[in-house]
Each structure stands twice: as structure tokens, then as C-alpha cells.
Amino acid sequence: MAIPNLAARGSTGLNLYQSQSPYDPVSTFPLDNSSTFKFMLFSPNGKHFAWINNSKVVIAKTSDWKTIAEVDYPKAAQLAYSSKGTYLTVYEPFMTTPSNPKGSPNVHILKTADGKLVKSLEYRDYKLWTPQWSSDEKICARFLNGDVLFYENSNFDNIVHRIKGLKLNNYSISPGNQPLNILCFIPAKTGPSNGRLFQYPDFSTIVANKSFFQADRVEIFWNQKGTASLMLTSTDVDKTGASYYGKQGLHLITSKGDTSQVIVNKEGPLYNAAWSPSSNEFCVIYGFMPSKATLYNLKCDVVMEFGTGTFNAVYYNPFGNILLLAGFGNVQGNAELWDINGKKKIKKIEIPDTTFLQWSPDGQHFVTATTAPRLKVSNGYKIWHYSGALLHEKPWGKGELYQVVWQNYPQGTFKTPNIVHKAVEGIVSSQPIASKQVYRPPHARNTDFKPTSLHEDSSLETKNQSKAYLKMKKKREAKRQAKQLQDEENSSNDKQNAIKIIEEPKDNEKQLRIKKIQSDLKSINRFKTLQSSGKELDCNQLARLKLENGLLAELKQLQM
């Protein structure tokens, strides 16, 4: 059986390590100790590995780790593979200069096998720069100025279909071998925003439509079969003042045309949602701390409750039989592992200072890492067994660790692990563990001071709350339920109003660009807040953070 490898990139270079004893570097991998690596990525089937080193994009075969292409892209910042790994897309931030005021194409599609350029595209906005491919790679789509352009059979000179006139803010192509579905998010300045589902290539017929009355943006999560999708909607500000996270909602849309809202039974933010690899269930973490974790089926019925804890992230192993709940950022660093089929907790462990977590392709191990720039001290990674045993740790010494990622493998390489509720032999971490003694402010020391606990029993929570708080809480809950009923009533008329498009007058081009930059900077600030709270950002969000200085400079020039 194959042994998964683990790639690590830091200030001391890029290397590949074995994930089992003796955990040595892979001898056939070309070690490079330079500090100029920017990004690295395995292809979905694990047959190729690409990275950015200084001004070059390098592609290597994982069978012998020999370099098959080195391509010059001085400003390369991000990489993305197509569904089957046939193509590699390189992203460079769009820039204009006095000598080139119109700029140049900045998104480049390469053939993975030899690194040859297939097509270069101009993309001025870094949002949704990654082309999206169908699972068989016969269809490719890209986002452009609120429209979605479609290409077929890798012919990027011919746009065969287009979603236009809807002023989209986000879109997503369904995975799997089902008929290809396109889920679009249509924001509205007044009235409801919409999540609209089409079946390719018929964009005149709406398969499903869901309205959201408080939604500035959305995250889209498809199940692996492509039969259902979750839309996590959110606003920047909660006008009720109940949360500084903004107002959020979670909605289910299926390829059969069904829509529903996921109802949670605890007030507070929606932190995370994840589909089981089985595609029949999904887990949601929500509510003010201590948060709750709940498992739902495709009818949005509760299947299982995991209780409360300091959690804000959820991870399924690749086979869906183990679920990991974790708390990162400004909450206590711990994790719980659950046997999904047996509906039983396997182990609770401490993972302090963790900024990254990922399951191994074998479904039995996972890696946690402390990386920069989120944390610049105690950088390194640890390999764990699902039973909660720490198997290996690699401190990064004086250098900084930026990125850790498992090598991918073709489907069928690993078998579904049998869950055994018995800890394997592990090691004791050499990293110092923070004191568990409760902090007491100076004025309360040597007294009977009793601090509030995040893990207090919910019945005690009610007893200790004031009458005024309980009254206000009751009002908020009634208002929330009334709002949900109103949303459901309005959604009954969604399809009747779905085709209507309101054309707005065009602003002056300069003022329009200023508004766009201000909106982008607002999004960047939101991502910085999420990152500081411990939430893991995706490639698009990280790329947007890097463009902040350029946007500020452009805004200053336009305002002058």
C-alpha cells in the first residue's frame, strides 16, 4: 500500500517528507533550500506537483520527481489545476503601467504534461479568477464582469454559451457525473437576493430558485455527487446588534428543484458547514460559544447532535466514516474525533496554536500545523492517528513554515479504514502546553472568584442570566422566527419574479471604479478579520489579501 507523502514549504525552502516512521525526507525529491517559494499544489490525481519559485512556475512528475517544465511568470502568485489535472492555471495580479496603460493578460492556462501555454486571459478583478471545470473537463467556465463564459473541449477561442445580464456575484459548477448544474448568486441592492440553479446549457429555464433577504455574499458547498448544494449567506453587519459576525443563513438547493432553509436551534454565527463524502449528510457548527455541532440529512432533518464545545471548524476524512470537530483562532485549541457509523466519540485531544488541519488520503491520519504569517513562533507540523495518538512532530526551528499539504492519490489507492476504539502508541509532544489554571484578575485573587466557563451546562447558563437578558433573548428569538416565516412566504413567489431584471443607470466609469475598489478593500478587511480569528482562507481569499497595497495606491490616484 502507498505511503502518503507530505510537502512542506517555508523560509528554509521546499521539501517532501514521509508520513510514516522514520519520517525522513523523500530522497528522490529535488531539495531546494531557497527562500523564494511562493506557492505549491498537487494535481487532483497526485500525478503532478507544481510550485512557484522566484519568477518560475515549475511542474514535476510525482512518479520520479523529475522536472518536466519550468515556465517564466515573474508575478505568479497562485496556481490551480483542472478537475482531472490536465491543465494548470497560473494567476498574476493584473497591473497597468505608464508604458502599458491597458495591462496584459494575467491568467494563463498551461498543459500540465509539458507546460506549454494553451491560452492567456485578461482578468482585472481577482475575485473568482480560477476557471471552473466539469468533472470530465469537457466544459470550462470563467467569470467576467458579472457574466459566466463557457468553453467546450478546451477550445478557449470560442465562447459557446454565456450567462449574461444577471450581474452575478458568485457561481459554482456541480461536480460528479450528474447533468451539469450551475448555481448562481444574484445580489440585490433592494429586495431579496437570489440563489438560482440552471442545468447546462439551458439558462432560460430555472431549475430552482431561493431568495435571501439578508445576503451580501455567499459561500457555495456542493456534495461530491453534485446533487445538492449548501449556500452560506452572510452580511457584513447584523443590524439587530446581536452579533459582530453579521447576519448569516444556510440554505439547501437540490438538482431536483427543492429548496429549504437549514434551521439551527442556537443563536449566534454559523461558523462552518461540510458535506459528508457520502453526499447524503452534512455537518454544521453554529451558535455563540460554546457552539453546537449538528448532522443533517438531505431533508434538513437533524440526524445527530454532537453537543456543545469550543468548535468553529469541521473536517470529514476522505471516506466519511470519521468526523473531526476543531476550534481554531480565538477559541481554545482542541478537537473531537467521532465515529460516524457508530455514532460514538473516539477521542478528544488538544491541538494548541493550530492554524491548519488536513486529513491524509488514507483516512487514518491527519496533520496539524502552526504556520506563518498567522503565527510566527513555534512553527512546525504534527501527524496524528484518528485514535488521538500523536505519532510525529517536526518543529521548524528558527525558520517560518508557510504551507503544508498532503500528496493526492488516484481514487481507489486506499481502502476505507475500519474504526477501532483503541488508541495506538504515540509520543509526547515536546511543545510546551499552556497552563490550564483559570486566569484570575489581580483584584480577584485570594477570593472566592468564580469565572464563567465556556463549557458550563446549559441549564446552569439559564439560571445565572438576568431577567432583563432573558427577556431580550426571548424577543430576539421571536423576531428571528417571524423573519424566517416571512422569508418562506416570499420564496413562494420566487419563480414568478426570477426572470425580471432591473437595469440600473451606468455610473461614470471613474466613479464606478472607485466604488469597486472601495468594495474590494472592504472585502479584504473582512478576510483579514476572519484570518485573525483563525478561519482558514481559500486560495482566492489569500490572493485578494496580497492586492491590498495596489488597490490603495490605485484608489489614491483616482481620487486625486
Side-chain angles (χ1 to χ4, degrees):
M1 182 180 290
I3 299 175
N5 293 316
L6 193 68
R9 176 180 66 89
S11 58
T12 55
L14 171 65
N15 206 346
L16 193 76
Y17 297 91
Q18 300 172 0
S19 65
Q20 293 186 15
S21 182
Y23 304 100
D24 291 335
V26 176
S27 59
T28 54
F29 184 78
L31 174 65
D32 192 331
N33 292 323
S34 63
S35 59
T36 55
F37 289 97
K38 297 179 184 177
F39 191 76
M40 62 181 181
L41 186 68
F42 283 100
S43 64
N45 57 16
K47 294 182 178 180
H48 294 92
F49 184 43
W51 63 86
I52 302 171
N53 186 7
N54 199 6
S55 62
K56 294 182 180 295
V57 173
V58 184
I59 308 173
K61 293 189 298 182
T62 57
S63 57
D64 54 13
W65 300 108
K66 290 184 178 179
T67 299
I68 59 177
E70 289 189 8
V71 191
D72 287 323
Y73 288 108
K75 297 181 292 182
Q78 294 286 323
L79 303 172
Y81 275 105
S82 58
S83 303
K84 298 170 68 175
T86 306
Y87 302 96
L88 176 69
T89 307
V90 181
Y91 172 76
E92 298 181 292
F94 183 81
M95 298 180 66
T96 59
T97 62
S99 60
N100 185 19
K102 293 185 178 180
S104 302
N106 59 313
V107 174
H108 315 283
I109 301 176
L110 313 179
K111 198 73 178 290
T112 303
D114 52 19
K116 290 185 178 179
L117 179 66
V118 177
K119 185 70 175 179
S120 287
L121 305 166
E122 182 180 294
Y123 202 86
R124 299 194 175 211
D125 189 358
Y126 46 76
K127 183 182 179 182
L128 299 175
W129 69 267
T130 309
Q132 295 189 30
W133 309 74
S134 59
S135 295
D136 58 9
E137 294 187 350
K138 291 182 179 179
I139 299 167
C140 178
R142 74 182 185 103
F143 186 77
L144 183 65
N145 300 327
D147 294 350
V148 182
L149 316 183
F150 293 90
Y151 308 88
E152 291 184 353
N153 302 317
S154 305
N155 182 2
F156 297 99
D157 294 321
N158 183 29
I159 301 171
V160 294
H161 297 287
R162 186 171 190 149
I163 300 177
K164 60 182 180 179
L166 298 182
K167 298 182 180 180
L168 304 182
N169 179 271
N170 199 351
Y171 82 104
S172 182
I173 291 180
S174 65
N177 298 319
Q178 297 287 326
L180 192 67
N181 292 302
I182 316 296
L183 182 56
C184 303
F185 173 61
I186 308 169
K189 292 185 178 179
T190 58
S193 300
N194 290 278
R196 196 167 297 174
L197 186 67
F198 300 98
Q199 186 176 111
Y200 182 88
D202 182 6
F203 301 118
S204 61
T205 303
I206 299 172
V207 176
N209 192 82
K210 188 74 175 72
S211 291
F212 324 110
F213 278 88
Q214 292 187 347
D216 297 328
R217 59 190 181 277
V218 67
E219 293 181 71
I220 300 174
F221 308 94
W222 282 100
N223 63 1
Q224 286 189 7
K225 293 181 179 179
T227 57
S229 178
L230 292 170
M231 299 187 77
L232 177 59
T233 61
S234 55
T235 59
D236 292 325
V237 178
D238 181 2
K239 295 181 180 179
T240 66
S243 171
Y244 59 80
Y245 288 93
K247 194 71 174 178
Q248 295 169 301
L250 187 63
H251 309 269
L252 179 71
I253 296 181
T254 74
S255 58
K256 294 180 179 179
D258 300 324
T259 66
S260 55
Q261 183 173 359
V262 181
I263 304 299
V264 297
N265 57 10
K266 194 176 196 296
E267 275 195 279
L270 294 165
Y271 299 103
N272 198 212
W275 282 99
S276 165
S278 70
S279 295
N280 297 323
E281 299 174 337
F282 59 92
C283 183
V284 185
I285 298 182
Y286 58 92
F288 295 117
M289 290 294 168
S291 58
K292 290 192 69 174
T294 303
L295 190 66
Y296 297 86
N297 61 18
L298 288 174
K299 295 181 179 180
C300 294
D301 297 328
V302 174
V303 175
M304 181 180 177
E305 296 275 12
F306 298 95
T308 61
T310 50
F311 307 126
N312 54 19
V314 55
Y315 302 86
Y316 278 96
N317 78 337
F319 303 95
N321 59 346
I322 305 176
L323 179 70
L324 190 153
L325 305 173
F328 297 141
N330 58 350
V331 298
Q332 182 178 340
N334 57 45
E336 287 184 1
L337 294 123
W338 285 79
D339 176 357
I340 293 299
N341 297 330
K343 299 182 184 297
K344 182 178 179 181
K345 185 191 296 185
I346 301 172
K347 187 71 174 179
K348 182 175 181 177
I349 60 175
E350 293 186 2
I351 50 172
D353 300 329
T354 295
T355 60
F356 175 79
L357 188 150
Q358 185 185 19
W359 277 100
S360 165
D362 66 11
Q364 299 189 60
H365 304 87
F366 61 95
V367 64
T368 61
T370 303
T371 58
R374 176 73 178 92
L375 289 174
K376 295 189 176 182
V377 295
S378 301
N379 280 191
Y381 67 81
K382 298 176 181 179
I383 298 176
W384 304 76
H385 185 258
Y386 72 80
S387 63
L390 175 61
L391 303 180
H392 173 68
E393 66 175 355
K394 183 173 179 59
W396 217 246
K398 295 182 180 179
E400 293 181 350
L401 177 63
Y402 302 134
Q403 189 181 5
V404 176
V405 63
W406 290 102
Q407 180 181 346
N408 295 323
Y409 292 82
Q411 189 173 6
T413 302
F414 303 98
K415 295 182 179 180
T416 305
N418 294 321
I419 309 302
V420 179
H421 292 263
K422 183 179 179 181
V424 301
E425 185 177 354
I427 64 172
V428 177
S429 175
S430 63
Q431 299 295 320
I433 298 178
S435 172
K436 295 183 180 180
Q437 185 175 357
V438 176
Y439 171 78
R440 291 171 177 263
H443 70 274
R445 292 170 187 168
N446 301 319
T447 69
D448 293 331
F449 167 75
K450 293 183 179 180
T452 301
S453 171
L454 284 177
H455 299 281
E456 286 181 340
D457 185 87
S458 58
S459 61
L460 295 178
E461 178 185 0
T462 303
K463 293 179 182 179
N464 293 330
Q465 290 168 349
S466 68
K467 291 182 179 180
Y469 173 82
L470 291 173
K471 185 176 180 180
M472 182 61 69
K473 182 179 179 181
K474 187 175 180 180
K475 286 183 177 180
R476 286 201 304 263
E477 180 64 21
K479 187 175 181 180
R480 183 180 69 84
Q481 292 178 354
K483 186 63 176 175
Q484 289 178 356
L485 290 173
Q486 183 65 38
D487 289 349
E488 292 300 325
E489 289 178 10
N490 288 322
S491 66
S492 64
N493 297 319
D494 287 342
K495 289 193 175 181
Q496 297 178 12
N497 301 322
I499 305 300
K500 295 180 181 178
I501 301 172
I502 300 175
E503 293 190 4
E504 300 175 353
K506 295 183 179 179
D507 290 328
N508 176 274
E509 185 177 351
K510 181 177 178 181
Q511 293 300 321
L512 191 62
R513 181 58 183 163
I514 289 176
K515 290 181 181 179
K516 183 66 174 67
I517 293 176
Q518 290 173 337
S519 176
D520 291 342
L521 290 172
K522 187 176 181 180
S523 296
I524 288 173
N525 286 332
R526 184 175 68 252
F527 292 142
K528 289 166 70 176
T529 301
L530 290 174
Q531 188 181 55
S532 64
S533 68
K535 183 173 181 179
E536 181 184 345
L537 302 184
D538 60 28
C539 295
N540 288 328
Q541 293 167 337
L542 290 171
R544 295 173 76 174
L545 293 183
K546 294 180 181 179
L547 299 177
E548 182 179 19
N549 292 336
L551 290 172
L552 288 170
E554 184 181 354
L555 180 63
K556 182 177 180 181
Q557 184 178 6
L558 289 171
Q559 290 175 335
M560 289 175 61

